[in-house]
Amino acid sequence: MTRERFISEVRACQGQLRRFLASLCGDTALADDIAQEALVRAYVASGRFIGNFKAWLFRIAYNCFIDNLRRVRQPAADLDAPEALHVAGGEESDASFKHEELQRALARIPEKERTAIVLHYFEDLPVKEIATVMDIPSGTVKYYLSVGRDHLKQYIRL
Amino acid sequence: MKDIEQYLRQNKPETPDEGQFIIETNARLSNVEGIKGTVDAERHRGRLMLVIALVAGLVIGCLFTLFVVFFPVPSIETELSAFSKAIVSLKEWEALLLVPVAACAIALGVFLMNRKKEVL
C-alpha cells in the first residue's frame, strides 16, 4: 500500500478511530497518542494488509489500547465518589451532561464490555466485525454486549 | 433493553475534527520512512558483506585445494591412502592454510561488526 493510499484510507476513518479510542480511555489526548501509535504500526505492516481496512485498523488500535492499559494500570473508578454517583435529572439532562454521564458510566464497566458497546453502538460495527477487532468469537461479543448493557443501566438513569 | 440501546445511539459522541491529526500522522510516517530506509540500507550492507565473505572463503579454499592437488608432497606419494595424503599435504602446507582461515576470520569479524552496528 502506498503512503498516499494509506493516508486517504486513514482520512476516511480517523474520526471514528479517535472517537472509539476516546470512548475507551476517556481522555482525548491519550486517545490521539494511541491512535498515532496504531497508525505507525499499521503503516509499517501495511505491506501485509488484505481485506477490510477499517476493521484491521481498529484491531491494531485496540491492541495498542490494551498495551497501553497494561503499561499504565489505571485505578478502578471509585464508586463512592460524588461525581460517580451523580445521575441525570430532568432539567440538567442536556446533551453535554448526558455525554459526560455516559463517559463516566462507560469508565466503570469492564474494558471488554466497554469495547463491545462502543464498537456496536457508537461505531455501528456488526457483531462479526467486533469479533474480528477483539479477536473473540461472535457469541462472546453478544455476551459482552448484553452484560455491558445491564451494567450501564446501573449507572445511567434513563 | 431498547431504552439503553436508544440512549447509547442518541448520545453517540461526535467524531473529532481532523485538525492537526493528519499533519502529525504525516510527520510520523515521514520519520518511520526515514528509519525504514536506514534499516533497509544496513540490512543490504550486511547481506553484501556476507556474500563477499562467502565468495572470498570459497575462492581461497578452491585455490588452496588446487595448490594441494598440483603440488603434492613427492616423498610419500606411493605409501599412503588419498585421505592420508591430503592430511599430510595439509600438514606440509599448514602455514599456507592459515591464510584462507585468517581471511575467513577477518571477513566474519567485519560481518559481525556490521551486524552489531545494525542492532544498535
Side-chain angles (χ1 to χ4, degrees), chain A residues 3 11 18-19 43 101 121, chain B residues 5 7 13 17-18 33:
Chain A
R3 181 166 164 182
R11 215 181 272 274
R18 290 161 69 201
R19 176 172 63 186
Y43 183 64
E101 185 199 25
Y121 293 106
Chain B
E5 287 190 319
Y7 180 90
D17 290 336
E18 196 176 290
E33 274 179 358

Side-chain angles (χ1 to χ4, degrees), chain B residues 10-23:
Chain B
Q10 278 174 353
N11 293 290
K12 191 187 280 195
E14 289 189 2
T15 52
D17 290 336
E18 196 176 290
Q20 284 287 307
F21 188 78
I22 290 290
I23 297 167

Side-chain angles (χ1 to χ4, degrees), chain A residues 3 6-7 11 14-15 18-19 35-36 39-40 43-44 98-99 101-102 121-122 124 149 156 158, chain B residues 1 3-5 7-8 11-13 15-18 21-22 24-26 28-30 32-33:
Chain A
R3 181 166 164 182
F6 183 82
I7 288 290
R11 215 181 272 274
Q14 59 86 25
R18 290 161 69 201
R19 176 172 63 186
Q36 293 281 8
L39 289 174
V40 167
Y43 183 64
V44 170
K98 276 192 170 180
H99 286 150
E101 185 199 25
L102 178 57
Y121 293 106
F122 295 173
D124 300 316
R149 278 193 302 260
I156 297 169
L158 298 169
Chain B
M1 191 183 97
D3 289 345
I4 184 83
E5 287 190 319
Y7 180 90
L8 287 166
N11 293 290
K12 191 187 280 195
T15 52
D17 290 336
E18 196 176 290
F21 188 78
I22 290 290
E24 278 175 33
T25 304
N26 255 318
R28 284 198 190 205
L29 294 189
S30 296
V32 169
E33 274 179 358

Side-chain angles (χ1 to χ4, degrees), chain B residues 57-72:
Chain B
L58 191 72
V59 168
I60 292 168
C62 286
L63 287 176
F64 181 73
T65 308
L66 287 174
F67 189 83
V68 168
V69 168
F70 288 108
F71 298 94

